C-alpha cells in the first residue's frame, strides 16, 4: 500500500491557514491532523475537532511518553502533533494535513524528509493585522504578540517547499490543490 503524504501548512497567525485546511479536507485532499494543545479553547472550537485541549501536566506526560511527532511552545502554550493520530492514517495511504508553526515545520522536514511543506503568506502586514482584529478572538496583547511572531516567521518561508500568497481564498486553494496533485504524481513515477 502506498503511503499518504504528510502536508504541513505554516504561515503567520490570521493568514487563513485553518480555513484553507478545512476546504482541502472537505474536498477530500487529506485528513486534518488534530494536535494537542494547552491553550484555552476559543468560542466556537470543539475538543477533538480543532484540538485535543489538555492540561500542561497531561501534555508533559505525553512528552515524557514520546507520544508526539513534534511539539513546540508558541505564545506560552504547548502544541504538538500526535503520533497516534498521524501514523496509521499515513500508513493507510491517506494524506494528513497539519497546520503548524514554523518550528514544527522545520522539525517535520527533519523527521519526514518526504513531507510537503507549504508556507502561506499574507498579501501584506496591514492586511494580516486587520484579519486578526476582525477575527475578534484574541486580546490586544495577544494580537500584538502574534504580529511580532509573524514578522519573524515570514523569514522562514524560504525553507519551505512552496510559498503561496493568500490573496483570494479560492485561488489559494486551487494553487495548493495543484501542488498536492503534482506531489502525488511525483510519487507515482
Ligand atoms: P492557534 O493558537 O492560533 O490555534 O495556534 C498557534 C500556532 O500554533 C499556529 O501557528 C498553529 O498553526 C500552530 N500549531 C497548531 N498545532 C500545532 C502542532 O501540533 N505543532 C506545532 N509545531 N504548531 C502547531
Amino acid at each position: 500500500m502506498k503511503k499518504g503524504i504528510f502536508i504541513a501548512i505554516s504561515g503567520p497567525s490570521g493568514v487563513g491557514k485553518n480555513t484553507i485546511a478545512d476546504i482541502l479536507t472537505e474536498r477530500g485532499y487529506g485528513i486534518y491532523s488534530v494536535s494537542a494543545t494547552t491553550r484555552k479553547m476559543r468560542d466556537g472550537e470543539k475538543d477533538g475537532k480543532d484540538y485535543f485541549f489538555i492540561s500542561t501536566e497531561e501534555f508533559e506526560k505525553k512528552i515524557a511518553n514520546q507520544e508526539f511527532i513534534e511539539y513546540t511552545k508558541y505564545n506560552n502554550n504547548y502544541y504538538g502533533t500526535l503520533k497516534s493520530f498521524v501514523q496509521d492514517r499515513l500508513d493507510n495511504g491517506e494524506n494528513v494535513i497539519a497546520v503548524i508553526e514554523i518550528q514544527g515545520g522545520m522539525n517535520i522536514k527533519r523527521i519526514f524528509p518526504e513531507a510537503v511543506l507549504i508556507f502561506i503568506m499574507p498579501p501584506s502586514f496591514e492586511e494580516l493585522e486587520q484579519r486578526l482584529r476582525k477575527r475578534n478572538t484574541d486580546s490586544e496583547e495577544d494580537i500584538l504578540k502574534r504580529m511580532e511572531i509573524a514578522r519573524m516567521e515570514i523569514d522562514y518561508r524560504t525553507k519551505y517547499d512552496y510559498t503561496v500568497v493568500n490573496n483570494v481564498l479560492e485561488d489559494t486553494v486551487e494553487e495548493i490543490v495543484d501542488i498536492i496533485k503534482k506531489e502525488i504524481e511525483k510519487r507515482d513515477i
Side-chain angles (χ1 to χ4, degrees):
M1 155 88 69
K2 206 150 28 86
K3 282 200 175 194
I5 303 176
F6 190 97
I7 300 159
I9 297 184
S10 299
S13 184
V15 79
K17 304 180 295 264
N18 286 92
T19 311
I20 294 166
D22 283 348
I23 300 174
L24 291 170
T25 54
E26 273 164 26
R27 295 190 188 168
Y29 290 101
I31 289 172
Y32 185 77
S33 163
V34 181
S35 296
T37 185
T38 58
R39 160 165 85 57
K40 277 209 205 95
M41 205 188 295
R42 291 183 188 132
D43 279 353
E45 286 184 326
K46 275 208 187 88
D47 189 30
K49 181 179 171 281
D50 297 285
Y51 287 106
F52 295 106
F53 293 93
I54 61 176
S55 66
T56 302
E57 198 190 345
E58 282 173 289
F59 201 103
E60 287 175 346
K61 214 191 267 169
K62 287 188 188 297
I63 297 174
N65 291 339
Q66 306 194 325
E67 290 181 46
F68 293 111
I69 293 174
E70 61 76 36
Y71 70 91
T72 195
K73 232 178 185 179
Y74 175 97
N75 206 9
N76 294 324
N77 281 303
Y78 280 122
Y79 295 82
T81 309
L82 291 156
K83 277 185 193 164
S84 58
F85 196 91
V86 169
Q87 207 56 59
D88 288 353
R89 289 170 170 91
L90 288 179
D91 290 344
N92 282 336
E94 293 170 299
N95 298 336
V96 173
I97 299 176
V99 179
I100 57 181
E101 51 68 69
I102 42 145
Q103 220 47 60
M106 296 300 97
N107 286 332
I108 288 294
K109 197 72 199 165
R110 200 165 38 77
I111 301 159
F112 290 141
E114 68 285 4
V116 178
L117 267 70
I118 303 173
F119 194 91
I120 313 288
M121 284 281 289
S124 68
F125 276 106
E126 292 71 27
E127 173 79 23
L128 185 67
E129 192 165 348
Q130 268 178 27
R131 286 185 195 176
L132 276 176
R133 289 187 189 286
K134 254 199 248 157
R135 185 158 88 171
N136 224 355
T137 50
D138 306 297
S139 65
E140 179 64 24
E141 191 193 343
D142 223 39
I143 288 172
L144 294 178
K145 189 75 203 293
R146 281 168 187 261
M147 283 302 295
E148 192 187 309
I149 298 173
R151 286 177 200 280
M152 180 272 292
E153 284 175 325
I154 281 172
D155 289 341
Y156 275 80
R157 69 184 181 283
T158 54
K159 303 207 188 296
Y160 278 65
D161 300 315
Y162 299 93
T163 303
V164 179
V165 179
N166 186 21
N167 206 344
V168 178
L169 181 62
E170 191 50 43
D171 294 347
T172 309
V173 170
E174 280 308 308
E175 227 177 294
I176 297 177
V177 166
D178 285 345
I179 291 170
I180 297 174
K181 286 183 179 162
K182 196 165 92 186
E183 289 288 337
I184 293 172
E185 258 174 43
K186 258 204 236 168
R187 280 149 223 242
D188 282 342
I189 295 169

